[in-house]
Coordinates of all heavy atoms in Angstrom, one line a residue:
M17 N -34.1 -11.0 -86.7 CA -33.6 -11.9 -85.8 C -33.5 -11.4 -84.4 O -33.7 -12.1 -83.5 CB -32.2 -12.4 -86.3 CG -31.7 -13.5 -85.5 SD -30.4 -14.3 -86.4 CE -29.5 -15.1 -85.1
V18 N -33.2 -10.1 -84.3 CA -33.1 -9.5 -83.0 C -34.4 -9.5 -82.3 O -34.6 -9.7 -81.1 CB -32.5 -8.1 -83.1 CG1 -32.6 -7.4 -81.8 CG2 -31.1 -8.1 -83.6
E19 N -35.5 -9.2 -83.1 CA -36.8 -9.2 -82.5 C -37.2 -10.5 -81.9 O -37.8 -10.6 -80.8 CB -37.8 -8.8 -83.6 CG -37.7 -7.4 -84.0 CD -38.7 -7.0 -85.1 OE1 -39.6 -7.7 -85.3 OE2 -38.5 -6.0 -85.7
K20 N -36.9 -11.7 -82.5 CA -37.2 -13.0 -82.0 C -36.4 -13.2 -80.7 O -37.0 -13.7 -79.7 CB -36.8 -14.1 -82.9 CG -37.7 -14.2 -84.1 CD -37.3 -15.4 -85.0 CE -38.2 -15.5 -86.2 NZ -37.7 -16.6 -87.1
S21 N -35.2 -12.8 -80.6 CA -34.4 -12.9 -79.4 C -35.0 -12.1 -78.3 O -35.1 -12.5 -77.2 CB -33.0 -12.4 -79.7 OG -32.2 -12.5 -78.5
I22 N -35.4 -10.8 -78.6 CA -35.9 -10.0 -77.6 C -37.3 -10.5 -77.1 O -37.5 -10.6 -75.9 CB -36.1 -8.5 -78.1 CG1 -34.7 -7.9 -78.2 CG2 -36.9 -7.7 -77.1 CD1 -34.7 -6.6 -78.9
S23 N -38.1 -11.0 -78.0 CA -39.4 -11.5 -77.5 C -39.2 -12.8 -76.7 O -40.0 -13.0 -75.8 CB -40.3 -11.8 -78.7 OG -39.8 -12.9 -79.5
R24 N -38.2 -13.6 -77.0 CA -37.9 -14.8 -76.2 C -37.5 -14.4 -74.8 O -37.8 -15.0 -73.8 CB -36.9 -15.7 -76.9 CG -36.7 -17.0 -76.3 CD -35.8 -17.9 -77.0 NE -34.5 -17.4 -76.8 CZ -33.4 -17.8 -77.5 NH1 -33.5 -18.6 -78.5 NH2 -32.2 -17.3 -77.2
L25 N -36.6 -13.3 -74.7 CA -36.2 -12.8 -73.4 C -37.4 -12.4 -72.6 O -37.5 -12.7 -71.4 CB -35.2 -11.7 -73.6 CG -33.9 -12.0 -74.2 CD1 -33.1 -10.7 -74.4 CD2 -33.1 -12.9 -73.3
E26 N -38.3 -11.6 -73.2 CA -39.5 -11.1 -72.5 C -40.3 -12.3 -72.0 O -40.8 -12.2 -70.9 CB -40.2 -10.2 -73.4 CG -39.5 -8.9 -73.6 CD -40.3 -8.0 -74.6 OE1 -41.3 -8.4 -75.2 OE2 -39.8 -6.9 -74.9
K27 N -40.5 -13.3 -72.9 CA -41.4 -14.4 -72.5 C -40.8 -15.1 -71.3 O -41.5 -15.4 -70.3 CB -41.5 -15.4 -73.7 CG -42.4 -16.6 -73.4 CD -42.5 -17.5 -74.6 CE -43.3 -18.7 -74.2 NZ -43.4 -19.7 -75.2
Q28 N -39.5 -15.5 -71.3 CA -38.9 -16.2 -70.2 C -38.8 -15.3 -68.9 O -39.1 -15.9 -67.9 CB -37.5 -16.6 -70.6 CG -36.8 -17.5 -69.6 CD -37.5 -18.9 -69.4 OE1 -38.4 -19.3 -70.2 NE2 -37.2 -19.5 -68.3
S29 N -38.5 -14.1 -69.1 CA -38.5 -13.2 -67.9 C -39.9 -13.1 -67.3 O -40.1 -13.1 -66.1 CB -37.9 -11.9 -68.1 OG -38.6 -11.1 -69.1
D30 N -40.9 -13.0 -68.1 CA -42.3 -13.0 -67.6 C -42.7 -14.2 -66.9 O -43.4 -14.2 -65.8 CB -43.3 -12.7 -68.8 CG -43.3 -11.3 -69.4 OD1 -42.7 -10.4 -68.7 OD2 -43.8 -11.1 -70.5
I31 N -42.3 -15.4 -67.4 CA -42.6 -16.6 -66.7 C -42.0 -16.7 -65.3 O -42.6 -17.0 -64.4 CB -42.1 -17.8 -67.6 CG1 -42.9 -18.0 -68.8 CG2 -42.1 -19.1 -66.8 CD1 -42.3 -18.9 -69.9
L32 N -40.7 -16.3 -65.3 CA -40.0 -16.3 -64.0 C -40.6 -15.3 -63.0 O -40.8 -15.6 -61.8 CB -38.5 -16.0 -64.2 CG -37.8 -17.1 -65.0 CD1 -36.4 -16.6 -65.4 CD2 -37.7 -18.4 -64.2
L33 N -40.9 -14.1 -63.5 CA -41.5 -13.0 -62.7 C -42.8 -13.5 -62.1 O -43.2 -13.2 -61.0 CB -41.5 -11.7 -63.4 CG -42.0 -10.5 -62.6 CD1 -41.0 -10.3 -61.4 CD2 -42.0 -9.3 -63.5
N34 N -43.6 -14.1 -63.0 CA -45.0 -14.6 -62.6 C -44.9 -15.6 -61.4 O -45.7 -15.6 -60.6 CB -45.7 -15.1 -63.8 CG -46.2 -14.0 -64.6 OD1 -46.4 -12.9 -64.2 ND2 -46.4 -14.3 -65.9
V35 N -43.9 -16.5 -61.5 CA -43.7 -17.4 -60.4 C -43.5 -16.7 -59.1 O -44.1 -17.0 -58.1 CB -42.5 -18.4 -60.7 CG1 -42.1 -19.2 -59.4 CG2 -42.8 -19.3 -61.8
L36 N -42.6 -15.7 -59.1 CA -42.3 -14.9 -57.9 C -43.5 -14.1 -57.4 O -43.7 -13.9 -56.2 CB -41.1 -14.1 -58.1 CG -39.8 -14.8 -58.4 CD1 -38.7 -13.8 -58.7 CD2 -39.4 -15.7 -57.3
K37 N -44.3 -13.6 -58.4 CA -45.5 -12.8 -58.0 C -46.6 -13.6 -57.4 O -47.5 -13.0 -56.7 CB -46.0 -12.1 -59.2 CG -45.2 -10.9 -59.6 CD -45.8 -10.2 -60.8 CE -45.1 -8.9 -61.2 NZ -45.7 -8.2 -62.3
E38 N -46.6 -14.9 -57.5 CA -47.6 -15.8 -56.9 C -47.6 -15.7 -55.4 O -48.6 -16.0 -54.8 CB -47.4 -17.2 -57.4 CG -47.8 -17.4 -58.9 CD -47.6 -18.9 -59.3 OE1 -47.3 -19.7 -58.5 OE2 -47.7 -19.1 -60.5
A39 N -46.5 -15.4 -54.8 CA -46.4 -15.3 -53.4 C -45.5 -14.1 -53.1 O -44.3 -14.2 -52.7 CB -45.8 -16.6 -52.8
P40 N -46.1 -12.9 -53.1 CA -45.3 -11.7 -52.9 C -44.6 -11.7 -51.5 O -45.2 -12.0 -50.5 CB -46.3 -10.5 -53.0 CG -47.5 -11.1 -53.7 CD -47.5 -12.6 -53.4
G41 N -43.3 -11.3 -51.5 CA -42.6 -11.2 -50.3 C -41.9 -12.5 -49.9 O -41.1 -12.5 -49.0
Q42 N -42.4 -13.6 -50.5 CA -41.8 -14.9 -50.1 C -40.5 -15.2 -50.9 O -40.4 -14.9 -52.0 CB -42.8 -16.1 -50.4 CG -42.3 -17.4 -50.2 CD -43.2 -18.5 -50.5 OE1 -44.4 -18.3 -50.5 NE2 -42.7 -19.7 -50.9
W43 N -39.5 -15.7 -50.2 CA -38.2 -16.0 -50.8 C -38.3 -17.4 -51.5 O -38.8 -18.3 -50.8 CB -37.1 -16.0 -49.8 CG -36.8 -14.6 -49.3 CD1 -37.1 -14.1 -48.2 CD2 -36.0 -13.6 -50.0 NE1 -36.7 -12.8 -48.1 CE2 -35.9 -12.5 -49.2 CE3 -35.3 -13.6 -51.2 CZ2 -35.3 -11.3 -49.5 CZ3 -34.7 -12.4 -51.6 CH2 -34.6 -11.3 -50.8
F44 N -37.8 -17.5 -52.7 CA -37.8 -18.8 -53.5 C -36.4 -19.2 -53.7 O -35.6 -18.3 -54.1 CB -38.5 -18.6 -54.8 CG -40.0 -18.4 -54.7 CD1 -40.5 -17.2 -54.5 CD2 -40.8 -19.5 -55.0 CE1 -41.9 -17.0 -54.5 CE2 -42.2 -19.4 -54.9 CZ -42.8 -18.1 -54.7
T45 N -36.1 -20.4 -53.5 CA -34.8 -20.9 -54.0 C -34.8 -21.2 -55.5 O -35.9 -21.2 -56.1 CB -34.4 -22.3 -53.2 OG1 -35.4 -23.3 -53.6 CG2 -34.4 -22.1 -51.7
R46 N -33.7 -21.5 -56.0 CA -33.7 -21.8 -57.5 C -34.4 -23.1 -57.7 O -35.2 -23.2 -58.7 CB -32.2 -22.0 -57.9 CG -31.5 -20.7 -58.0 CD -30.0 -20.9 -58.5 NE -29.4 -19.6 -58.6 CZ -28.1 -19.5 -58.8 NH1 -27.3 -20.6 -59.0 NH2 -27.5 -18.3 -58.9
S47 N -34.4 -24.0 -56.8 CA -35.1 -25.3 -56.9 C -36.6 -25.0 -56.8 O -37.4 -25.6 -57.6 CB -34.7 -26.2 -55.7 OG -35.4 -27.4 -55.8
D48 N -37.1 -24.1 -56.0 CA -38.5 -23.8 -55.9 C -39.0 -23.2 -57.2 O -40.1 -23.6 -57.7 CB -38.7 -22.7 -54.8 CG -38.4 -23.2 -53.4 OD1 -38.5 -24.4 -53.1 OD2 -38.1 -22.3 -52.6
I49 N -38.2 -22.3 -57.8 CA -38.6 -21.7 -59.1 C -38.6 -22.8 -60.2 O -39.6 -22.8 -61.0 CB -37.6 -20.6 -59.4 CG1 -37.7 -19.4 -58.4 CG2 -38.0 -20.0 -60.8 CD1 -36.6 -18.4 -58.5
A50 N -37.6 -23.6 -60.2 CA -37.5 -24.7 -61.2 C -38.8 -25.6 -61.2 O -39.4 -25.9 -62.2 CB -36.3 -25.5 -61.1
K51 N -39.1 -26.0 -60.0 CA -40.3 -26.9 -59.8 C -41.6 -26.2 -60.3 O -42.4 -26.8 -60.9 CB -40.5 -27.3 -58.4 CG -39.4 -28.3 -57.9 CD -39.6 -28.6 -56.4 CE -38.4 -29.4 -55.9 NZ -38.4 -29.5 -54.4
S52 N -41.7 -24.9 -60.1 CA -42.8 -24.1 -60.5 C -43.0 -24.0 -62.0 O -44.1 -23.8 -62.5 CB -42.8 -22.7 -59.9 OG -42.9 -22.8 -58.5
I53 N -41.9 -24.2 -62.7 CA -42.0 -24.1 -64.2 C -41.7 -25.5 -64.8 O -41.3 -25.6 -65.9 CB -41.0 -23.0 -64.7 CG1 -39.6 -23.2 -64.4 CG2 -41.5 -21.6 -64.3 CD1 -38.6 -22.2 -65.0
D54 N -41.9 -26.5 -64.0 CA -41.7 -27.9 -64.4 C -40.4 -28.2 -65.0 O -40.2 -28.8 -66.1 CB -42.8 -28.2 -65.5 CG -44.2 -28.2 -64.9 OD1 -44.4 -28.5 -63.7 OD2 -45.1 -27.7 -65.6
K55 N -39.3 -27.8 -64.3 CA -37.9 -28.1 -64.7 C -37.3 -28.8 -63.5 O -37.7 -28.6 -62.3 CB -37.1 -26.8 -65.0 CG -37.5 -26.2 -66.3 CD -36.5 -25.1 -66.6 CE -36.5 -24.6 -68.0 NZ -35.5 -23.6 -68.2
R56 N -36.2 -29.6 -63.7 CA -35.5 -30.2 -62.7 C -34.6 -29.1 -62.0 O -34.5 -29.1 -60.8 CB -34.6 -31.3 -63.2 CG -34.0 -32.2 -62.2 CD -33.3 -33.4 -62.8 NE -32.2 -33.1 -63.6 CZ -31.0 -32.8 -63.2 NH1 -30.8 -32.7 -61.9 NH2 -30.0 -32.5 -64.0
K57 N -34.0 -28.3 -62.8 CA -33.2 -27.2 -62.2 C -33.2 -26.0 -63.2 O -33.5 -26.2 -64.4 CB -31.8 -27.6 -61.9 CG -30.9 -27.9 -63.1 CD -29.5 -28.3 -62.6 CE -28.6 -28.2 -63.7 NZ -27.2 -28.4 -63.3
L58 N -32.9 -24.8 -62.7 CA -32.8 -23.6 -63.6 C -31.6 -23.7 -64.5 O -30.5 -24.1 -64.0 CB -32.8 -22.4 -62.7 CG -34.0 -22.0 -61.9 CD1 -33.8 -20.7 -61.2 CD2 -35.3 -22.0 -62.8
S59 N -31.7 -23.2 -65.7 CA -30.6 -23.2 -66.6 C -29.8 -21.9 -66.3 O -30.3 -21.0 -65.6 CB -31.1 -23.2 -68.0 OG -31.8 -22.0 -68.3
S60 N -28.7 -21.8 -66.9 CA -27.9 -20.5 -66.7 C -28.6 -19.4 -67.4 O -28.6 -18.2 -66.9 CB -26.5 -20.7 -67.3 OG -26.5 -21.1 -68.7
Y61 N -29.4 -19.7 -68.4 CA -30.2 -18.7 -69.1 C -31.3 -18.2 -68.1 O -31.5 -16.9 -68.0 CB -30.9 -19.3 -70.3 CG -31.8 -18.4 -71.1 CD1 -31.3 -17.5 -71.9 CD2 -33.2 -18.5 -71.0 CE1 -32.1 -16.6 -72.7 CE2 -34.0 -17.7 -71.7 CZ -33.5 -16.8 -72.5 OH -34.3 -16.0 -73.2
D62 N -31.9 -19.1 -67.4 CA -33.0 -18.7 -66.4 C -32.3 -17.8 -65.3 O -32.9 -16.8 -64.9 CB -33.6 -19.9 -65.7 CG -34.4 -20.8 -66.6 OD1 -35.0 -20.2 -67.6 OD2 -34.3 -22.0 -66.5
I63 N -31.2 -18.1 -64.8 CA -30.5 -17.4 -63.8 C -30.1 -16.0 -64.3 O -30.3 -15.0 -63.6 CB -29.3 -18.2 -63.3 CG1 -29.7 -19.4 -62.6 CG2 -28.4 -17.3 -62.3 CD1 -28.7 -20.5 -62.3
A64 N -29.7 -15.9 -65.6 CA -29.3 -14.6 -66.2 C -30.6 -13.8 -66.3 O -30.5 -12.6 -66.0 CB -28.7 -14.8 -67.5
M65 N -31.7 -14.4 -66.6 CA -33.0 -13.6 -66.7 C -33.4 -13.0 -65.3 O -33.8 -11.9 -65.2 CB -34.1 -14.5 -67.2 CG -34.1 -14.9 -68.6 SD -34.2 -13.5 -69.7 CE -32.5 -13.2 -70.0
L66 N -33.1 -13.8 -64.2 CA -33.4 -13.3 -62.9 C -32.5 -12.2 -62.5 O -32.9 -11.2 -61.9 CB -33.3 -14.5 -61.9 CG -34.4 -15.5 -61.9 CD1 -34.0 -16.8 -61.2 CD2 -35.7 -15.0 -61.4
E67 N -31.3 -12.2 -63.0 CA -30.3 -11.1 -62.8 C -30.7 -9.9 -63.5 O -30.6 -8.8 -63.0 CB -28.9 -11.5 -63.1 CG -28.4 -12.6 -62.1 CD -27.0 -13.1 -62.5 OE1 -26.5 -12.8 -63.7 OE2 -26.5 -13.9 -61.7
I68 N -31.3 -10.1 -64.7 CA -31.8 -8.9 -65.5 C -33.0 -8.3 -64.8 O -33.1 -7.1 -64.7 CB -32.1 -9.4 -67.0 CG1 -30.9 -9.6 -67.7 CG2 -33.0 -8.3 -67.7 CD1 -31.1 -10.3 -69.1
L69 N -33.9 -9.1 -64.3 CA -35.0 -8.6 -63.5 C -34.6 -7.9 -62.3 O -35.2 -6.9 -61.9 CB -36.0 -9.8 -63.2 CG -36.7 -10.4 -64.3 CD1 -37.4 -11.7 -63.9 CD2 -37.7 -9.5 -64.9
Q70 N -33.5 -8.3 -61.7 CA -33.0 -7.6 -60.5 C -32.4 -6.2 -61.0 O -32.7 -5.2 -60.3 CB -31.8 -8.4 -59.9 CG -31.2 -7.6 -58.7 CD -30.0 -8.2 -58.1 OE1 -29.2 -8.8 -58.9 NE2 -29.8 -8.2 -56.8
A71 N -31.7 -6.2 -62.1 CA -31.2 -4.9 -62.6 C -32.3 -3.9 -63.0 O -32.1 -2.7 -62.9 CB -30.3 -5.2 -63.8
Q72 N -33.5 -4.5 -63.3 CA -34.6 -3.6 -63.6 C -35.4 -3.2 -62.4 O -36.4 -2.5 -62.5 CB -35.6 -4.4 -64.6 CG -35.0 -4.6 -66.0 CD -35.9 -5.4 -66.8 OE1 -36.8 -6.2 -66.4 NE2 -35.6 -5.4 -68.1
G73 N -35.0 -3.7 -61.2 CA -35.6 -3.4 -60.0 C -36.9 -4.2 -59.7 O -37.7 -3.8 -58.8
L74 N -37.1 -5.3 -60.4 CA -38.3 -6.1 -60.2 C -38.1 -7.2 -59.3 O -39.1 -7.7 -58.7 CB -38.8 -6.6 -61.6 CG -39.2 -5.5 -62.6 CD1 -39.4 -6.1 -63.9 CD2 -40.4 -4.7 -62.1
V75 N -36.9 -7.7 -59.1 CA -36.6 -8.8 -58.3 C -35.5 -8.5 -57.3 O -34.6 -7.8 -57.7 CB -36.2 -10.0 -59.2 CG1 -35.7 -11.2 -58.4 CG2 -37.4 -10.5 -60.0
E76 N -35.5 -9.1 -56.1 CA -34.4 -9.0 -55.1 C -33.7 -10.4 -55.1 O -34.4 -11.4 -55.2 CB -34.9 -8.7 -53.7 CG -35.5 -7.4 -53.6 CD -36.0 -7.2 -52.1 OE1 -35.2 -7.4 -51.2 OE2 -37.2 -6.9 -52.0
I77 N -32.4 -10.4 -55.0 CA -31.6 -11.6 -54.9 C -30.7 -11.5 -53.7 O -30.1 -10.5 -53.5 CB -30.7 -11.8 -56.2 CG1 -31.6 -11.8 -57.5 CG2 -29.9 -13.1 -56.0 CD1 -30.7 -11.9 -58.7
R78 N -30.7 -12.5 -52.9 CA -29.9 -12.6 -51.7 C -29.2 -13.9 -51.6 O -29.6 -14.9 -52.2 CB -30.8 -12.4 -50.5 CG -31.5 -11.1 -50.4 CD -30.9 -10.2 -49.4 NE -31.5 -8.8 -49.5 CZ -32.4 -8.3 -48.8 NH1 -32.9 -9.0 -47.8 NH2 -32.8 -7.0 -48.9
H79 N -28.2 -14.0 -50.7 CA -27.6 -15.2 -50.3 C -28.3 -15.6 -48.9 O -28.5 -14.8 -48.1 CB -26.1 -15.1 -50.0 CG -25.3 -14.9 -51.3 ND1 -24.9 -13.7 -51.6 CD2 -24.9 -15.7 -52.2 CE1 -24.2 -13.8 -52.7 NE2 -24.2 -15.0 -53.1
R80 N -28.5 -16.9 -48.8 CA -29.0 -17.4 -47.5 C -28.2 -18.6 -47.1 O -27.9 -19.5 -47.9 CB -30.5 -17.8 -47.7 CG -31.1 -18.4 -46.4 CD -32.6 -18.5 -46.6 NE -32.9 -19.6 -47.5 CZ -34.2 -19.8 -48.0 NH1 -35.2 -19.1 -47.5 NH2 -34.4 -20.8 -48.8
E81 N -27.8 -18.6 -45.8 CA -27.0 -19.7 -45.3 C -27.8 -21.0 -45.4 O -29.0 -21.0 -45.2 CB -26.5 -19.5 -43.9 CG -25.5 -18.3 -43.7 CD -25.1 -18.2 -42.3 OE1 -25.3 -19.1 -41.5 OE2 -24.6 -17.1 -42.0
N82 N -27.1 -22.1 -45.7 CA -27.7 -23.4 -45.6 C -26.6 -24.5 -45.2 O -25.4 -24.1 -45.0 CB -28.4 -23.8 -46.9 CG -27.5 -24.0 -48.1 OD1 -26.3 -24.0 -47.9 ND2 -28.1 -24.1 -49.2
R83 N -26.9 -25.7 -45.2 CA -26.0 -26.8 -44.8 C -25.3 -27.5 -45.9 O -24.7 -28.5 -45.7 CB -26.8 -27.8 -43.9 CG -27.3 -27.2 -42.7 CD -28.0 -28.3 -41.9 NE -28.5 -27.7 -40.6 CZ -28.9 -28.4 -39.6 NH1 -28.9 -29.7 -39.6 NH2 -29.3 -27.7 -38.5
T84 N -25.3 -26.9 -47.1 CA -24.6 -27.5 -48.2 C -23.1 -27.3 -48.0 O -22.7 -26.4 -47.2 CB -25.1 -26.9 -49.5 OG1 -24.7 -25.5 -49.5 CG2 -26.5 -27.1 -49.7
P85 N -22.3 -28.0 -48.8 CA -20.8 -27.8 -48.7 C -20.4 -26.3 -49.0 O -19.4 -25.8 -48.3 CB -20.3 -28.7 -49.8 CG -21.2 -29.8 -49.8 CD -22.6 -29.1 -49.6
I86 N -21.1 -25.6 -49.8 CA -20.7 -24.2 -50.1 C -21.2 -23.3 -49.0 O -20.8 -22.1 -48.9 CB -21.0 -23.7 -51.5 CG1 -22.5 -23.7 -51.7 CG2 -20.3 -24.5 -52.5 CD1 -23.0 -23.0 -53.0
G87 N -22.2 -23.7 -48.3 CA -22.7 -22.9 -47.1 C -23.8 -21.9 -47.4 O -24.2 -21.2 -46.4
Y88 N -24.2 -21.7 -48.6 CA -25.2 -20.7 -48.9 C -26.0 -21.1 -50.2 O -25.6 -22.0 -50.9 CB -24.6 -19.3 -49.1 CG -23.7 -19.2 -50.3 CD1 -24.3 -18.8 -51.5 CD2 -22.4 -19.4 -50.3 CE1 -23.5 -18.6 -52.6 CE2 -21.6 -19.3 -51.4 CZ -22.2 -18.9 -52.6 OH -21.4 -18.8 -53.7
E89 N -27.1 -20.4 -50.4 CA -27.9 -20.6 -51.6 C -28.4 -19.3 -52.0 O -28.5 -18.3 -51.2 CB -29.0 -21.6 -51.4 CG -30.0 -21.1 -50.3 CD -31.1 -22.2 -50.0 OE1 -31.2 -23.2 -50.7 OE2 -31.8 -22.0 -48.9
F90 N -28.8 -19.1 -53.2 CA -29.4 -17.9 -53.7 C -30.9 -18.0 -53.5 O -31.5 -19.1 -53.7 CB -29.1 -17.7 -55.2 CG -27.7 -17.3 -55.5 CD1 -26.7 -18.2 -55.8 CD2 -27.3 -15.9 -55.4 CE1 -25.4 -17.8 -56.1 CE2 -26.0 -15.6 -55.7 CZ -25.1 -16.5 -56.0
V91 N -31.5 -16.9 -53.1 CA -33.0 -16.8 -53.0 C -33.5 -15.6 -53.7 O -32.7 -14.6 -53.8 CB -33.4 -16.9 -51.5 CG1 -33.2 -18.3 -50.9 CG2 -32.8 -15.8 -50.7
Y92 N -34.7 -15.7 -54.1 CA -35.3 -14.6 -55.0 C -36.7 -14.3 -54.5 O -37.4 -15.1 -54.0 CB -35.4 -15.1 -56.4 CG -34.1 -15.6 -57.0 CD1 -33.6 -16.9 -56.7 CD2 -33.3 -14.8 -57.7 CE1 -32.4 -17.3 -57.2 CE2 -32.0 -15.2 -58.2 CZ -31.6 -16.5 -58.0 OH -30.4 -16.9 -58.5
R93 N -37.1 -13.0 -54.7 CA -38.5 -12.6 -54.4 C -38.7 -11.3 -55.2 O -37.8 -10.7 -55.7 CB -38.7 -12.4 -52.9 CG -38.1 -11.1 -52.4 CD -38.5 -10.9 -50.9 NE -37.9 -9.7 -50.4 CZ -38.0 -9.3 -49.1 NH1 -38.7 -10.1 -48.3 NH2 -37.4 -8.2 -48.7
T94 N -40.0 -11.0 -55.3 CA -40.3 -9.7 -56.0 C -39.9 -8.6 -55.2 O -39.9 -8.6 -53.9 CB -41.8 -9.6 -56.3 OG1 -42.5 -9.8 -55.1 CG2 -42.3 -10.6 -57.3
A95 N -39.5 -7.5 -55.8 CA -39.2 -6.3 -55.1 C -40.5 -5.7 -54.5 O -41.6 -6.0 -55.0 CB -38.5 -5.3 -56.0
D96 N -40.4 -4.8 -53.5 CA -41.5 -4.3 -52.9 C -42.5 -3.6 -53.8 O -43.7 -3.7 -53.6 CB -41.1 -3.3 -51.8 CG -40.4 -4.0 -50.6 OD1 -40.6 -5.2 -50.4 OD2 -39.6 -3.3 -49.9
H97 N -42.0 -3.0 -54.8 CA -42.9 -2.2 -55.7 C -43.3 -3.0 -57.0 O -43.9 -2.5 -57.8 CB -42.2 -0.9 -56.1 CG -40.9 -1.1 -56.8 ND1 -39.8 -1.4 -56.2 CD2 -40.6 -1.0 -58.2 CE1 -38.8 -1.5 -57.1 NE2 -39.3 -1.3 -58.3
A98 N -42.9 -4.3 -57.1 CA -43.2 -5.0 -58.3 C -44.6 -5.6 -58.2 O -45.2 -5.8 -57.2 CB -42.2 -6.2 -58.4

């Protein structure tokens, strides 16, 4: 059962990483990433995968100011060496 879980993690993280690799250095919003994988919005699982990729040094995550009520959004891109 653990093996299925791990392989599912790898598959989803690969999908997300491949989206970011399509345009190296470009910042993507969560909405941009969701559209690229034919979703309306990213799930909490997708966001957790992006955080795991950041912990592995493959993805950078930043806050960017915007005009929404909270005043910022998260943006993602591949790390320089990814």
Side-chain angles (χ1 to χ4, degrees):
M17 186 163 159
V18 172
E19 290 178 17
K20 287 182 183 178
S21 175
I22 291 172
S23 66
R24 191 174 73 191
L25 291 176
E26 290 175 359
K27 180 180 176 186
Q28 187 64 15
S29 62
D30 285 347
I31 290 169
L32 295 168
L33 187 57
N34 285 335
V35 167
L36 299 176
K37 284 184 174 181
E38 288 177 7
Q42 177 182 331
W43 291 100
F44 289 83
T45 64
R46 289 178 178 173
S47 179
D48 295 334
I49 297 169
K51 288 176 189 172
S52 294
I53 58 175
D54 297 322
K55 287 185 165 186
R56 192 173 62 81
K57 68 179 197 172
L58 294 182
S59 67
S60 56
Y61 179 78
D62 295 323
I63 294 166
M65 289 297 96
L66 288 164
E67 290 172 356
I68 288 171
L69 291 169
Q70 179 190 33
Q72 293 174 341
L74 299 171
V75 169
E76 292 180 54
I77 301 175
R78 299 256 169 101
H79 291 101
R80 179 170 67 188
E81 292 183 18
N82 67 11
R83 295 182 178 194
T84 63
I86 61 170
Y88 68 91
E89 64 187 346
F90 288 94
V91 290
Y92 305 84
R93 72 175 180 185
T94 54
D96 291 337
H97 61 281

